[in-house]
Amino acid sequence: MHEISAMVPAVIVFGDSTVDPGNNNQISTVLKSNFAPYGRDYFGGQPTGRFSNGRIATDFISEAYGIKPAIPAYLDPKFDIRDFATGVSFASAGTGYDKATSDVLSVIPFWKEMVYYKEFQDKLRGYLGNDIANHHLSESLHLISIGTNDFLENYYPFPTRSSEYPVDKYEIFLIGIASNFIRELYNLGARKIAISGLPPMGCLPLERTTNIMHGSACIEEYNDVAKDFNQKLQDSVTELNRELGGIQLVMSNPYYKLLEMIQNPILFGFENVATACCGTGYFEMSYMCDRMNPFTCSDANKYIFWDSFHPTEKTNFILADHAFKTTLTVFR
């Protein structure tokens, strides 16, 4: 066990609601989840600001490396550098690669996560000393999970970006931002980096609900965009591995695993695919998914999605386990 934790001493996380353990609790945004029934299956049944009934994927990845069972939010005043040294998340629900995406719901922009990371590095050097901290950072796994909101909360609902870019060019624009973020992490001493591709975002219950004319099927256009984006991201990852000496950069792709769960739910013990556990399961998330909603399901393990946009703890575990046993094996 000690050997594993020595291999990856910490998991450091950037991204959106898929990996935000509660940073949005500390900012003024409508996009929050620090109230029941969120967190009802978390330790002590506590809502933490995670957009799920329990833990999120990065918590399970941290646990799989033998580090700790949950990764704290950087902005949570209950934690300090002693906690953050073994894992921390700078992620903010509702954010995206594109600065314009974070403006939609007034959340932390992606570039600001990098500012917090630099601040964290300074604190870590103060706590561990320069040499140990630098070694620690070079061995830590840096995880990035972001991008869905750029399309579903920005590009498709609003005319600004879609009038500026055809979708193909918007993908290239976002991947340019992702590549520069990775270069900056590298320049700051990170060497082990995993970036996540996009899920089949046309199958999120909220998107299916808008597809009522077609029997609430998955929106294939959105799924195709996700696949196309993932291919471009993989190409970019291959290039960056050539460009940046000594980097170990991988792309983890949740697309096919999640699609497999959606297409063969019985294999995974799921019963409900098209609707979410919380509320009616068609459109609720954040404040619409509260304890007053009479429709919320009793057993979230039968559902792939917890609210209309976010997976259940069980789904998060399956996706984390899959990533850990496939793309992340290089870090063990």
Side-chain angles (χ1 to χ4, degrees):
M1 216 47 177
H2 290 298
E3 204 177 338
I4 296 177
S5 44
M7 292 288 281
V8 172
V11 177
I12 298 168
V13 185
F14 305 88
D16 58 18
S17 60
T18 51
V19 293
D20 176 3
N23 283 309
N24 277 21
N25 301 351
Q26 310 302 326
I27 62 171
S28 40
T29 172
V30 294
L31 197 59
K32 293 191 178 180
S33 60
N34 55 340
F35 43 82
Y38 285 97
R40 71 181 193 192
D41 300 308
Y42 192 76
F43 303 111
Q46 283 303 305
T48 56
R50 287 168 172 80
F51 277 80
S52 187
N53 58 304
R55 284 190 280 171
I56 50 181
T58 34
D59 296 323
F60 291 116
I61 288 168
S62 169
E63 187 169 67
Y65 279 113
I67 304 170
K68 57 187 178 186
I71 295 179
Y74 183 66
L75 297 183
D76 189 331
K78 289 199 302 294
F79 300 100
D80 62 25
I81 192 62
R82 289 167 303 191
D83 306 291
F84 301 146
T86 53
V88 58
S89 173
F90 305 100
S92 176
T95 201
Y97 289 114
D98 185 353
K99 163 85 174 72
T101 303
S102 58
D103 291 342
V104 175
L105 292 166
S106 309
V107 296
I108 300 165
F110 194 41
W111 65 264
K112 185 80 186 275
E113 295 188 28
M114 180 65 79
V115 173
Y116 287 138
Y117 176 63
K118 290 176 182 169
E119 187 182 277
F120 157 76
Q121 283 202 340
D122 290 342
K123 290 178 185 170
L124 191 71
R125 293 193 175 101
Y127 177 57
L128 295 177
N130 272 355
D131 294 352
I132 295 174
N134 291 342
H135 179 71
H136 184 88
L137 290 164
S138 70
E139 294 293 331
S140 294
L141 176 57
H142 294 68
L143 287 176
I144 302 166
S145 173
I146 191 169
T148 305
N149 298 322
D150 290 304
F151 295 97
L152 300 187
E153 190 192 296
N154 177 359
Y155 187 86
Y156 287 111
F158 295 107
T160 321
R161 287 304 192 204
S162 45
S163 60
E164 252 177 286
Y165 299 98
V167 73
D168 183 64
K169 294 285 187 289
Y170 189 59
E171 291 168 21
I172 293 166
F173 167 71
L174 298 178
I175 282 166
I177 296 169
S179 301
N180 285 333
F181 194 90
I182 290 165
R183 286 187 188 100
E184 187 159 6
L185 284 177
Y186 177 84
N187 291 333
L188 290 167
R191 290 297 177 268
K192 299 179 175 183
I193 304 173
I195 186 165
S196 176
L198 296 179
M201 54 193 185
C203 295
L204 297 174
L206 186 64
E207 305 312 317
R208 293 173 83 133
T209 298
T210 63
N211 203 22
I212 210 94
M213 299 303 287
H214 299 94
S216 298
C218 296
I219 300 178
E220 289 310 324
E221 182 194 348
Y222 293 178
N223 284 356
D224 290 344
V225 165
K227 279 189 289 197
D228 197 45
F229 179 91
N230 289 347
Q231 186 53 59
K232 289 184 172 75
L233 184 61
Q234 184 55 67
D235 294 345
S236 176
V237 161
T238 305
E239 281 170 34
L240 287 164
N241 273 308
R242 280 201 293 264
E243 176 192 324
L244 305 171
I247 199 173
Q248 275 187 298
L249 171 64
V250 298
M251 177 187 148
S252 75
N253 187 348
Y255 186 94
Y256 293 103
K257 193 68 190 173
L258 191 52
L259 196 64
E260 185 194 344
M261 290 153 73
I262 290 164
Q263 289 171 345
N264 307 293
I266 308 300
L267 289 179
F268 299 88
F270 291 116
E271 292 172 16
N272 298 72
V273 170
T275 58
C277 167
C278 197
T280 60
Y282 291 108
F283 61 86
E284 291 92 345
M285 71 170 155
S286 193
Y287 286 108
M288 286 189 285
C289 165
D290 66 13
R291 58 164 50 141
M292 304 311 289
N293 199 311
F295 298 107
T296 298
C297 80
S298 58
D299 182 4
N301 287 337
K302 294 186 173 134
Y303 287 74
I304 293 182
F305 295 100
W306 164 249
D307 67 15
S308 67
F309 217 74
H310 302 102
T312 55
E313 178 178 71
K314 179 174 166 181
T315 304
N316 286 330
F317 173 78
I318 295 168
L319 292 173
D321 186 60
H322 176 68
F324 186 73
K325 287 172 176 165
T326 54
T327 37
L328 298 180
T329 49
V330 295
F331 302 118
R332 267 148 68 187

